[in-house]
Amino acid sequence: MTAKTTRQLDEEYIAHTYARFPVEIAKGQGSLVWDTEGKEYIDMGTGIAVNAFGVSDQTWIDAVTAQLGRFQHTSNLFYSAPCAQLAQMLCEATGLKKVFYGNSGAEANECAIKAARKWAEQTKGPGHHTIITLKNSFHGRTITTLAATGQDVFHQQFTPLTEGFVYADTEKPEELAALASAHQASAIMFEAVQGEGGVLPLPVDFVQAMKDAAAEQNLLLIADEVQLGNGRSGAMYGYMNLGLEPDIVTTAKGLGGGLPIGVCMLGQRVADVFVPGDHGSTFGGNPVVCAGAVSIFSRLTEEVLAGVRAKSKLVFDTLTGAEGIESVTGMGLMIGVKTKKPVKDVVAACREKGVLVLTAKDKMRLLPALNIPDDLLREALARIAAACA
Ligand SMILES: *Cc1c(COP(=O)(O)O)cnc(C)c1O
């Protein structure tokens, strides 16, 4: 009997929560990856915005392996240097005051929701727990972050969900203030660019409505920077491009460079909301993960951010108005492309031509490494354009 292939084992033993592409990754280097049949691809997905500086990034590997050689874990009952160092870097870069570590975007958002609820109870009194989130948003897959996610398709068959969320329509900024006061809301949670929702930047008038409502009704602003954060927007965090000063910022994907991390950053108004026992995580703040994240975060220099903006412009200039392309949206290197052909066919054609791309709803989604070399990016865009035409 011959050994079963990875694909057969996967089909047999892994819960069918994912529709996988028919590719088995064998290895990668920078923005190139190879499958087990030896086919080379330009990676325009980076494991969903995770591999910030590409695959097998040596600086990150060195940081991670050095920490592995010291100790791999200690629990949050003890101090550890990488954990503290990363927290300092995050706070200094954002002006936020304290961080809590989890292991995923959903956990970062769970922490934000707990912080907002406790703050609301303390400062506004009972009954002010409702958080406004946005229609078409995505905040995670746990029961509470699903409730925060403003898309019915994710809710069906998983009810009852956690109470305390209402959804605002970003196309109707004039309704936001009334919605917040009708529900005695405590906070508004938003993505500067809705990623899973179709790579849609928040409309400017909605951003203004959030600012106004937050100021008038003493609401917290919670920025979900899980996908867009850590340099991908061309700024350190996407909200910085919108002139917002959120009270809570969550981030995850790109920060760990490939290892699981989720961070909830707490600003002045909520910095001291938690006391020992309020929240926790066994793996959160793992020293190996944090050492890797320190390596990633310390390299998000103004030069790298300027590179992201230049590469973004190259993508927009190349694809906007190209044959078979209806629209190009996004910010920095988080880009959505509406194609005339069905997106599924375009993604398959890209794969055929040696480019790995993702989707977001009915769009193609591009999330290349922040340091993808310009010549590789041009080559990827040429192949993508050909697949769209
Ligand atoms: C991916 C994502 C999440 C969920 O992160 P997980 O690590 O999968 O839990 C939350 N919010 C946004 C905006 C995301 O893109």
Side-chain angles (χ1 to χ4, degrees), residues 61-101:
I61 292 176
D62 290 346
V64 167
T65 46
Q67 181 56 39
L68 270 172
R70 290 183 208 111
F71 60 98
Q72 79 274 33
H73 175 77
T74 167
S75 88
N76 283 301
L77 302 174
F78 300 94
Y79 295 102
S80 89
C83 181
Q85 209 187 331
L86 179 62
Q88 179 188 20
M89 294 174 95
L90 290 167
C91 288
E92 286 181 355
T94 58
L96 296 152
K97 300 298 177 195
K98 296 253 193 301
V99 314
F100 174 85
Y101 293 115

Side-chain angles (χ1 to χ4, degrees), residues 284-338:
N286 172 278
V288 175
V289 176
C290 286
V294 165
S295 153
I296 299 289
F297 204 77
S298 63
R299 281 184 285 154
L300 297 176
T301 57
E302 185 41 50
E303 198 185 334
V304 166
L305 298 181
V308 169
R309 297 193 290 269
K311 291 174 204 301
S312 174
K313 185 171 186 305
L314 181 62
V315 178
F316 274 89
D317 289 352
T318 309
L319 297 183
T320 306
E323 201 188 331
I325 292 178
E326 275 176 18
S327 68
V328 185
T329 56
M331 186 188 279
L333 288 176
M334 175 163 149
I335 293 167
V337 181
K338 179 93 180 74

Side-chain angles (χ1 to χ4, degrees), residues 41-194:
Y41 303 89
I42 304 172
D43 181 12
M44 296 292 281
T46 54
I48 320 185
V50 165
N51 301 328
F53 289 104
V55 182
S56 301
D57 163 43
Q58 195 58 48
T59 312
W60 175 82
I61 292 176
D62 290 346
V64 167
T65 46
Q67 181 56 39
L68 270 172
R70 290 183 208 111
F71 60 98
Q72 79 274 33
H73 175 77
T74 167
S75 88
N76 283 301
L77 302 174
F78 300 94
Y79 295 102
S80 89
C83 181
Q85 209 187 331
L86 179 62
Q88 179 188 20
M89 294 174 95
L90 290 167
C91 288
E92 286 181 355
T94 58
L96 296 152
K97 300 298 177 195
K98 296 253 193 301
V99 314
F100 174 85
Y101 293 115
N103 312 285
S104 65
E107 281 177 79
N109 287 335
E110 288 271 345
C111 177
I113 292 161
K114 281 179 78 170
R117 283 193 172 187
K118 191 170 175 198
W119 174 85
E121 163 120 5
Q122 285 180 337
T123 59
K124 292 173 174 256
H128 291 79
H129 52 264
T130 297
I131 297 174
I132 310 254
T133 63
L134 311 187
K135 288 190 176 155
N136 203 41
S137 58
F138 183 83
H139 297 297
R141 303 283 192 161
T142 62
I143 289 292
T144 296
T145 57
L146 266 187
T149 293
Q151 300 189 55
D152 279 343
V153 288
F154 291 106
H155 296 170
Q156 285 151 18
Q157 300 190 291
F158 297 108
T159 52
L161 300 175
T162 307
E163 291 174 32
F165 297 93
V166 294
Y167 314 110
D169 188 340
T170 59
E171 301 292 319
K172 295 179 180 152
E174 69 283 2
E175 292 181 357
L176 181 63
L179 187 71
S181 64
H183 291 273
Q184 300 192 307
S186 59
I188 306 172
M189 185 165 177
F190 67 95
E191 298 156 88
V193 178
Q194 294 185 331

